[in-house]
């Protein structure tokens, strides 16, 4: 029996699954992503969840035929590593992945993708509707997309195609992104940015609100929880929808997808509040065909299952490659 591994390395959690050749899961491992001291600690956590998933599946790591890894970016594909991740502490410079996982599993068949490319590979493989032109968009601690055009998943230089969260949407650059540059989509609408953005909006428009706006621990979830009964919270959501729709319209014009699957914690936890206002704005913002905008069918497993789909299909998500 051949076995395959999928790994999801996120800013918050790291997980792995083991599956047999028909794609049915037979083992899993989970851990929180270490915040340091260096990238090696994160590599160790990845190896730990892979071992755990193999133990759970009652197999030894060397019986795995291939593995896919969906990781936070940016990547250095030649080095098989994450380089200076935007959403982890600065002390983490490089997280080696392909080499150590290859040694553990004793196979050269390791396919490394950024997490959103793993997402679009997963949608392509598992979803009912999987046309050749599709996008997987994540709105989570960061914002990014995996793009499939004419049946090819776009990779780009060093694997960094689809870093659309770092498109400039605000030319005045009022907010600074986690990457250090100003005016990026992610600086307004990611889960990490929403609290700062809400505070900024409130400083300029200090109306009464149920949002605990002065709480240092203010979260994106607090903002969504207060809408729609709270006038200020509704105003924040309207501003988020403005930037989200701008970003999505840019994706539509660049790639012409038939469908955009949306995942990530911000979208998964608030699907109607996030997706519906984007759909409503498309008509007035898009000059070409307007795609379907749907919540991912794979929930918060989209990256790990996409990584698994990559392992099963030699890195493509195309079932004809099995
Ligand atoms: Zn940025």
């Amino acid at each position: 029996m051949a076995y395959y591994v999928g790994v999801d390395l996120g800013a918050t959690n790291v997980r792995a699954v083991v599956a047999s050749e028909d794609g049915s899961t037979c083992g899993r491992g989970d851990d929180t992503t270490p915040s340091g001291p260096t990238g090696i600690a994160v590599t160790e956590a990845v190896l730990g969840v892979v071992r755990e998933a193999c133990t759970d599946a009652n197999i030894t790591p060397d019986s795995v035929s291939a593995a896919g890894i969906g990781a936070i970016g940016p990547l250095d594909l030649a080095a098989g590593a994450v380089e200076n991740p935007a959403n982890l502490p600065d002390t983490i410079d490089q997280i080696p992945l392909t080499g150590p996982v290859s040694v553990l599993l004793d196979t050269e068949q390791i396919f490394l993708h950024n997490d959103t490319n793993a997402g679009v590979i997963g949608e392509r493989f598992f979803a009912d509707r999987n046309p050749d032109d599709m996008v997987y968009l994540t709105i989570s601690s960061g914002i990014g997309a995996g793009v499939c055009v004419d049946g090819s998943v776009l990779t780009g230089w060093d694997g960094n195609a689809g870093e659309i969260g770092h498109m400039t949407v605000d030319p005045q650059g009022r907010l600074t992104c986690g990457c250090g540059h100003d005016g990026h989509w992610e600086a307004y609408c990611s889960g990490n940015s929403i609290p700062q953005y809400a505070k900024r909006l409130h400083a300029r428009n200090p109306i009464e609100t149920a949002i605990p706006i002065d709480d240092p621990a203010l979260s994106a979830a607090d903002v969504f929880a207060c809408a729609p009964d709270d006038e200020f919270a509704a105003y924040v959501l309207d501003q988020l929808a403005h930037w989200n729709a701008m970003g999505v319209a840019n994706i539509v014009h660049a790639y012409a997808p038939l469908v955009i699957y949306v995942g990530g914690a911000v979208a998964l936890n608030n699907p109607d509040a996030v997706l519906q206002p984007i759909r409503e704005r498309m008509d007035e913002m898009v000059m070409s065909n307007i795609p379907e905008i749907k919540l991912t069918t794979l929930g918060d497993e989209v990256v790990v299952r996409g990584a698994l789909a990559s392992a099963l299909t030699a890195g493509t998500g195309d079932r004809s490659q099995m």
Side-chain angles (χ1 to χ4, degrees):
M1 173 93 79
Y3 292 96
Y4 297 84
V5 162
V7 177
D8 170 9
L9 171 58
T12 313
N13 295 298
V14 53
R15 60 177 114 179
V17 295
V18 172
S20 52
E21 52 208 1
D22 66 357
S24 54
T25 302
C26 52
R28 52 180 68 232
D30 288 276
D31 201 352
T32 53
T33 305
S35 54
T38 66
I40 301 300
V42 182
T43 303
E44 290 296 340
V46 168
L47 298 177
V49 294
V50 172
R51 282 192 205 96
E52 185 185 335
C54 289
T55 302
D56 191 34
N58 282 316
I59 63 166
T60 55
D62 63 3
S63 46
V64 172
S65 302
I69 305 170
I72 48 174
L75 301 180
D76 180 340
L77 274 192
V82 176
E83 290 288 342
N84 300 308
N87 295 313
L88 285 176
D90 287 344
T91 54
I92 295 182
D93 46 2
Q94 189 188 61
I95 305 171
L97 292 171
T98 305
V101 172
S102 176
V103 169
L104 174 65
L105 301 179
D106 193 22
T107 172
E108 299 288 310
Q109 297 296 304
I110 310 293
F111 302 96
L112 175 62
H113 310 275
N114 69 34
D115 46 10
T116 51
N117 272 7
V120 79
I121 287 168
E123 292 294 355
R124 199 170 177 218
F125 187 82
F126 289 107
D128 294 338
R129 186 163 185 215
N130 50 358
D132 280 348
D133 300 292
M134 58 190 291
V135 168
Y136 168 73
L137 168 67
T138 180
I139 306 178
S140 185
S141 30
I143 294 178
V147 179
C148 186
V149 174
D150 298 339
S152 297
V153 176
L154 303 186
T155 306
W157 189 6
D158 275 345
N160 295 317
E163 287 282 4
I164 47 82
H166 304 278
M167 288 192 301
T168 303
V169 293
D170 178 8
Q172 296 188 45
R174 282 164 285 203
L175 289 182
T176 301
C177 188
C179 74
H181 301 299
D182 297 334
H184 291 179
W185 178 10
E186 184 173 308
Y188 297 76
C189 299
S190 71
N192 284 353
S193 300
I194 289 170
Q196 286 301 105
Y197 186 38
K199 284 178 196 227
R200 183 185 169 92
L201 289 172
H202 195 257
R204 299 169 66 92
N205 182 17
I207 61 174
E208 202 172 313
T209 176
I211 297 175
I213 203 80
D214 296 321
D215 185 343
L218 176 67
S219 68
D222 294 331
V223 175
F224 281 98
C226 291
D229 299 332
D230 185 273
E231 185 187 341
F232 177 73
Y235 169 66
V236 175
L237 293 202
D238 188 63
Q239 293 302 299
L240 293 175
H242 169 77
W243 303 116
N244 280 334
M246 202 179 286
V248 170
N250 288 344
I251 292 172
V252 174
H253 289 136
Y255 303 117
L258 274 80
V259 55
I260 299 177
Y261 287 102
V262 188
V266 173
L268 288 170
N269 293 336
N270 316 281
D272 295 333
V274 172
L275 296 190
Q276 191 52 28
I278 298 174
R279 295 186 189 112
E280 287 167 4
R281 283 166 168 80
M282 287 298 99
D283 236 353
E284 64 194 32
M285 300 178 77
V286 171
M287 58 70 73
S288 50
N289 297 324
I290 296 174
E292 244 189 296
I293 299 171
K294 299 175 67 167
L295 195 66
T296 174
T297 53
L298 299 172
D300 70 352
E301 298 248 290
V302 60
V303 174
V304 75
R305 295 189 69 191
L308 174 64
S310 168
L312 285 158
T313 59
T316 64
D318 181 354
R319 282 181 177 272
S320 68
Q321 302 286 322
M322 287 181 80

